[in-house]
Amino acid sequence: LIVSNDISMRAVALALAHAGIRVPEELPVITMTTEGVDLHYGVPVVRFEFPVREIVRQLLGLLWKRMANEPVPALPILIHGRIKE
């Protein structure tokens, strides 16, 4: 199961526990999160972390180009993350 962000992961973890699904034995779970945010979910989760500074840098650059009517880079903009278990 891939969960889109760390805030949603809390609700997913509660739902999995309520349903009696054993994580990761029955269902491995991966969540996408920002680097440095370390929430407790109550179940073992593999985290795919993205660097917040790079996200901000890319977003700010894109917004400035749009405001200045400059050409914007091809979308989507790829931001590399890392797996943290």
Side-chain angles (χ1 to χ4, degrees), residues 30-46:
I30 298 173
T31 187
M32 297 182 196
T33 186
T34 51
E35 190 174 56
V37 175
D38 195 13
L39 300 176
H40 176 71
Y41 308 117
V43 295
V45 173
V46 174

Side-chain angles (χ1 to χ4, degrees), residues 3-5 7 10 14-15 26 28 31 33 39 43 47-48 52 58-59 71:
V3 181
S4 62
N5 65 56
I7 300 300
R10 295 182 69 122
L14 285 172
E26 294 180 82
T31 187
T33 186
L39 300 176
V43 295
R47 299 163 39 93
F48 192 68
V52 103
Q58 292 289 346
L59 179 59

